Amino acid sequence: MVGKGNSGFSKTGLDRLREVLARHVESGKIPGLVALVSRGEETHVEALGTMRHDGGAPMRRDTIFRMASTTKPVGAAAAMVLVDECRLRLDDPVDPWLPELADRQVLTRPDGPLDDTVPARRPISVRDLLTSTNGLGMDMTAPGTPIMGALFERGVYGQEDGWLLPAPEPDEWMRRLGTLPLICQPGERWIYNIGNDVLGVLVARVTGQSFEEFLRERIFDPLGMKDTGFHVPADKIDRLPPLYAPDWQTGEFRVEDPAEGGHHSTPPAFQSGGGGLDSTADDYHAFFRMLLGGGIHDGERILSRAAVELMTTNQLPPEQLAARVAFGRDSVHRGYGLGQHGGWGFGMAVRTYRGDYAPVGQFGWDGGSGTTVYADPHHQLVGILLTQTGMSTPDSARAIHDFWTTLYQAIDD
């Protein structure tokens, strides 16, 4: 345990946190993990287990993980830098930069045939992308619909080996996306993920830089996020564990993505704002501490306080919260555990009701590779748990649930 200062964690609670996480590792179902928790100036880190399920190098504080959907808040922050500078406006149409999305047709019914459409009532806006209400998304609650099938058949998502992140370079990806109708009218309903990938393309086109170049210049370098990017270079690849997807029935470990020669070992054609980043616990801690600090890191302003407040405030009206809550409940039933939040801000969940130990106002998100990152303004707390076992089985989800339960028990003012 690495710690300093005294800002309101009890020693008994932190010991319990370590014991609970160690139990998950010792079960043999999670090879290893890195956990970081902080309040004020006090930071504690646990690195438990090994990089591989059959042993090998131990987990380290600077182990690099596939952040998966916890990429989303970072991508939203990049867009908000441009909003701060008036290079984007929240309610402006995206058509000038993303002509592929102009003049959309919309399905008459979300589960209907692709050619049964009506014209969109208005263009897609920047706000629609930030809030995932742009009309296109991965509707996890309706996997058998024609539009969901078309997303994979037309190569918007999915690769030959089953990898879900987009494969084409951004212009081709946008062309393919532009051949599809919207599931619903812009601004009408929250649907997961696609808006975040489109947002990365938007940032790149507005700035004339690659998405990663802009992130590095305006977010990563100012925050000291030296190990964050869309691939892991050769001189750091030994710090990236394999990603496992254990068999649901047998529990046998299957490598979903190796480190060397895997999807994250070379620069991708598409830099995914929905799920492509690799990072460390300390790098993400810097990012979420910046959000807790109202946009400031070490005296340097990254985002305006107003931008951070917008990002971390629920943006969905009551009639749209139902779809958001349904997504969370569906993920819980599938064993993924992404529930009990309620709301959605820009690129992340915002808790609008207290369904577990975390208070209303907590913000952050989880990733399908077994990652979870949230900040809690009420307690000035950041919690990060990173594993290399994807949420195709409940094991990482259970570890994440127990992490948050024990972390909140450890608070002692």
Side-chain angles (χ1 to χ4, degrees):
M1 179 70 75
V2 180
K4 56 184 178 180
N6 181 13
S7 298
F9 288 122
S10 72
K11 181 181 184 305
T12 301
L14 290 171
D15 287 346
R16 183 186 293 119
L17 176 67
R18 177 185 175 86
E19 290 165 9
V20 167
L21 293 177
R23 201 157 62 230
H24 281 283
V25 172
E26 289 160 5
S27 74
K29 295 180 178 179
I30 295 176
L33 56 83
V34 175
L36 182 152
V37 301
S38 75
R39 287 191 79 196
E41 296 306 309
E42 183 179 7
T43 302
H44 295 269
V45 179
E46 298 285 359
L48 303 173
T50 55
M51 299 273 280
R52 302 183 59 88
H53 80 89
D54 50 3
M59 278 288 179
R60 301 174 1 188
R61 180 170 181 161
D62 65 353
T63 295
I64 298 171
F65 292 85
R66 300 158 188 81
M67 298 306 293
S69 285
T70 50
T71 298
K72 289 175 169 66
V74 181
M80 291 308 293
V81 169
L82 298 177
V83 173
D84 272 344
E85 296 177 348
C86 298
R87 297 164 77 182
L88 286 174
R89 298 177 189 89
L90 288 176
D91 294 309
D92 276 1
V94 298
D95 298 0
W97 300 282
L98 305 172
E100 299 92 339
L101 298 183
D103 302 319
R104 292 290 79 207
Q105 290 291 306
V106 182
L107 291 175
T108 303
R109 300 193 334 270
D111 59 350
L114 299 184
D115 58 357
D116 185 5
T117 62
V118 296
R121 291 194 286 267
R122 65 164 176 82
I124 295 168
S125 69
V126 176
R127 186 189 301 272
D128 295 332
L129 296 179
L130 282 162
T131 56
S132 292
T133 59
N134 49 287
L136 262 177
M138 308 285 284
D139 191 349
M140 311 296 192
T141 61
T145 57
I147 186 65
M148 283 291 286
L151 285 170
F152 293 95
E153 290 161 10
R154 301 190 190 186
V156 175
Y157 283 102
Q159 301 180 27
E160 289 184 4
D161 60 359
W163 194 246
L164 275 179
L165 292 181
E169 52 81 31
D171 290 350
E172 171 60 18
W173 187 80
M174 287 299 304
R175 186 196 68 77
R176 297 182 189 186
L177 192 65
T179 67
L180 296 170
L182 303 184
I183 297 173
C184 57
Q185 292 286 342
E188 186 176 78
R189 179 183 162 206
W190 182 90
I191 315 179
Y192 192 54
N193 195 69
I194 288 182
N196 302 97
D197 278 332
V198 176
L199 204 61
V201 180
L202 177 66
V203 168
R205 290 187 179 178
V206 170
T207 62
Q209 300 173 272
S210 75
F211 187 35
E212 184 168 25
E213 286 170 344
F214 184 75
L215 283 168
R216 193 160 304 288
E217 179 184 302
R218 302 304 298 273
I219 294 177
F220 299 162
D221 286 350
L223 290 175
M225 297 172 70
K226 62 184 185 300
D227 290 322
T228 304
F230 287 103
H231 84 288
V232 180
D235 62 346
K236 297 181 180 181
I237 200 72
D238 63 312
R239 290 162 53 195
L240 178 72
L243 177 66
Y244 294 106
D247 183 89
W248 186 278
Q249 277 79 32
T250 67
E252 180 183 354
F253 279 93
R254 177 172 57 82
V255 175
E256 180 90 353
D257 186 46
E260 294 185 4
H263 288 278
H264 289 256
S265 64
T266 55
F270 189 95
Q271 296 168 353
S272 169
L277 283 179
D278 304 296
S279 193
T280 63
D282 280 298
D283 279 10
Y284 256 63
H285 184 223
F287 177 78
F288 273 78
R289 281 293 299 273
M290 178 270 292
L291 295 180
L292 271 188
I296 292 177
H297 173 78
D298 286 347
E300 180 177 355
R301 183 159 290 284
I302 310 299
L303 285 168
S304 69
R305 178 174 291 278
V308 172
E309 288 172 349
L310 261 179
M311 289 177 66
T312 59
T313 300
N314 173 50
Q315 298 292 320
L316 301 182
E319 65 270 17
Q320 291 189 13
L321 285 173
R324 170 70 190 90
V325 171
F327 175 85
R329 285 178 178 158
D330 182 65
S331 75
V332 170
H333 295 152
R334 293 168 184 262
Y336 302 157
L338 307 179
Q340 311 306 329
H341 310 109
W344 193 257
F346 288 170
M348 59 186 137
V350 179
R351 289 183 189 260
T352 55
Y353 67 91
R354 188 156 194 167
D356 52 28
Y357 282 31
V360 170
Q362 187 206 44
F363 58 83
W365 197 225
D366 309 273
S369 56
T371 58
T372 184
V373 189
Y374 286 84
D376 171 355
H378 178 71
H379 295 101
Q380 284 296 297
L381 177 147
V382 176
I384 300 170
L385 179 66
L386 308 176
T387 79
Q388 81 276 47
T389 308
M391 291 188 189
S392 57
T393 70
D395 299 313
S396 282
R398 287 171 180 154
I400 287 170
H401 183 277
D402 293 351
F403 166 72
W404 288 111
T405 298
T406 49
L407 173 55
Y408 274 97
Q409 288 183 55
I411 294 173
D412 186 5
D413 296 321

